[in-house]
Amino acid sequence: MQNKKEIIQKINDLYILYRKKWLKFDTTGYSTISSTITDYHVRNHLQGHYTLGVFAGEIFTKFICFDVDVKDPQMAKWTVYKLVNTLQEIGIPGEYIYISTSGNKGYHVEIFFNKPVFNTDIKQFYLMVLNYAELLNIDYGKVELRPTHTQGVKIPLGKHFTTNRICWYVDYYAGLKPIEDINYILTIQQMDSEYFYNILNKTKDSIDISEQQAIEYENIVARHKPLKIYDENVDPDVTIEAIENLIKTGLKMQGTRHNALLKICKLNKYNGMSAEENKQFLIDWMKKQDKKTYTTKWEDVLKDIDLIVKYTYERNYSLVTKRKDITITANEIEEILKIKGKESCQEFCV
């Protein structure tokens, strides 16, 4: 193995902060090991004797991993594209976003920091990004936060012992094609943690504090507030009038492109457009938009449009209009409680 010492040191720099506990994956499955991670373990990982997984510290972490766990290969790729586009649109430069295969059905999208950052801030960033990308509570898989202090994550360049495939880094601009070169890891850059906090604080400023949503995640109920830009023309519960207004007025800010295209696509399908007509409509609409309102490369915009149209029609996604508030009076509740077997209103308080 070329540059063995440099690669081992790079893995230490990028991934390993908490050394007292690690995950071991081999032919027998996986286990949690309560011993200190050393270069010896990293070397065994690279040589394929077993695969190493790491945890975050109790307070800090050196990186964030968006663990994309989606069975369908094309949907997995689309999820990665949505996620990376969102990260770029909120201000994370592409040169700090790295993607690798999980060895089986998914991908890891990772950002590394030159100094440790608080786990609580990473959790908030994760929730805002997924909210922004419409990847919370998806029905075709999940995108999980890794590592935490209790949930580890496999690091790249190790073997997946079920598929016997190496977890290579991939090229985002080449259709997520594996980069089968172990030395690629030496090119990875760490983001300045202060720059990360600037982006996080800027995003917080866009949070609409008038409403909170409860998000259940890994048996923990985490409360977050939806972004204001998420509520403007890209809310999953929008009105037809709001989408029609979006078509007329166009994009107004970065970070709304993908969700805007998805809502317009759903409206066009609702109005009877064919898939090809819809695709051309979205392309023509995007050509009219101010380039200052999005940072995605044009070829990636076309790719995203193609996937949006494909899955809107193949999965028969429908437009959901704004729900109306329902008022139930005290007398009505009393009548409900008289129904046999209904001794409390808990079943109705959803």
Side-chain angles (χ1 to χ4, degrees):
M1 180 172 57
Q2 297 179 357
N3 303 318
K4 179 166 58 177
K5 291 183 179 180
E6 291 86 350
I7 291 171
I8 290 174
Q9 184 57 48
K10 190 70 172 182
I11 289 176
N12 277 289
D13 292 341
L14 294 176
Y15 289 98
I16 304 176
L17 176 65
Y18 185 74
R19 293 182 174 273
K20 296 181 180 179
K21 180 176 64 173
W22 54 283
L23 293 174
K24 181 180 181 181
F25 299 83
D26 56 23
T27 55
T28 64
Y30 74 91
S31 55
T32 301
I33 309 298
S34 297
S35 66
T36 302
I37 302 174
T38 67
D39 288 355
Y40 169 80
H41 299 110
V42 178
R43 186 179 299 109
N44 282 339
H45 167 83
L46 294 171
Q47 292 174 347
H49 298 313
Y50 49 75
T51 295
L52 180 67
V54 298
F55 292 86
E58 293 186 38
I59 300 175
F60 296 104
T61 183
K62 295 179 76 170
F63 72 103
I64 179 174
C65 173
F66 296 86
D67 185 359
V68 177
D69 186 4
V70 176
K71 292 183 179 181
D72 182 270
Q74 290 302 314
M75 282 300 291
K77 285 187 175 183
W78 188 46
T79 303
V80 170
Y81 291 139
K82 289 178 68 178
L83 181 57
V84 173
N85 285 341
T86 297
L87 289 169
Q88 291 177 333
E89 287 174 351
I90 66 172
I92 304 291
E95 59 265 31
Y96 293 115
I97 303 171
Y98 297 91
I99 311 164
S100 61
T101 65
S102 64
N104 189 8
K105 58 189 175 183
Y107 297 88
H108 292 170
V109 179
E110 297 171 330
I111 302 170
F112 305 92
F113 308 105
N114 66 341
K115 296 179 182 178
V117 298
F118 285 100
N119 293 333
T120 51
D121 294 325
I122 287 294
K123 180 67 174 290
Q124 185 175 37
F125 179 73
Y126 158 83
L127 287 171
M128 289 193 296
V129 169
L130 261 64
N131 186 34
Y132 195 34
E134 285 192 325
L135 292 174
L136 279 171
N137 303 319
I138 54 178
D139 60 2
Y140 53 86
K142 54 187 175 181
V143 181
E144 297 181 302
L145 172 64
R146 296 290 188 271
T148 69
H149 189 57
T150 57
Q151 296 172 307
V153 63
K154 293 184 299 183
I155 63 177
L157 304 180
K159 182 191 294 186
H160 189 288
F161 284 88
T162 300
T163 63
N164 283 321
R165 292 198 292 260
I166 301 298
C167 302
W168 297 110
Y169 292 98
V170 300
D171 188 341
Y172 175 71
Y173 298 104
L176 305 186
K177 180 180 179 181
I179 303 171
E180 298 183 0
D181 180 3
I182 198 170
N183 294 293
Y184 173 79
I185 193 173
L186 298 176
T187 69
I188 291 179
Q189 303 178 63
Q190 293 168 304
M191 176 185 291
D192 189 312
S193 58
E194 291 186 10
Y195 184 81
F196 165 76
Y197 275 108
N198 287 337
I199 292 174
L200 179 61
N201 291 330
K202 181 180 178 182
T203 308
K204 285 180 182 178
D205 291 339
S206 298
I207 293 175
D208 184 354
I209 62 174
S210 64
E211 181 181 2
Q212 288 189 326
Q213 296 174 304
I215 302 299
E216 184 174 339
Y217 176 76
E218 298 293 338
N219 298 323
I220 297 174
V221 177
R223 300 194 65 83
H224 79 291
K225 303 162 188 171
L227 297 174
K228 184 181 293 183
I229 51 178
Y230 183 80
D231 195 45
E232 294 175 359
N233 301 320
V234 294
D235 192 307
D237 299 317
V238 295
T239 63
I240 292 176
E241 291 78 9
I243 302 177
E244 290 175 341
N245 184 61
L246 169 62
I247 294 173
K248 293 178 183 178
T249 61
L251 298 175
K252 298 300 181 183
M253 64 184 77
Q254 291 185 9
T256 59
R257 176 196 57 78
H258 174 87
N259 291 321
L261 287 169
L262 182 59
K263 295 304 177 291
I264 295 172
C265 182
K266 288 182 179 179
L267 176 61
N268 288 342
K269 178 177 178 293
Y270 178 82
N271 287 333
M273 272 195 191
S274 69
E276 284 303 314
E277 291 171 335
N278 206 339
K279 180 178 177 180
Q280 191 57 53
F281 182 96
L282 296 177
I283 292 173
D284 292 340
W285 185 78
M286 276 303 302
K287 287 180 179 179
K288 300 175 184 178
Q289 304 310 305
D290 187 343
K291 292 183 178 180
K292 294 180 181 178
T293 60
Y294 65 96
T295 58
T296 308
K297 294 183 178 180
W298 182 247
E299 56 266 31
D300 289 325
V301 171
L302 295 178
K303 185 182 299 183
D304 196 36
I305 289 175
D306 187 61
L307 287 168
I308 286 172
V309 173
K310 177 180 178 181
Y311 287 100
T312 296
Y313 283 81
E314 285 187 0
R315 294 173 180 266
N316 198 29
Y317 289 159
S318 60
L319 182 67
V320 181
T321 57
K322 204 73 167 179
R323 293 189 296 263
K324 293 182 179 180
D325 292 334
I326 300 175
T327 302
I328 301 178
T329 66
N331 289 335
E332 290 171 324
I333 292 176
E334 289 178 1
E335 292 301 317
I336 291 173
L337 295 179
K338 292 178 183 177
I339 299 175
K340 184 178 181 181
K342 299 297 186 289
E343 297 181 355
S344 76
C345 69
Q346 184 175 0
E347 295 181 44
F348 298 94
C349 298
V350 296

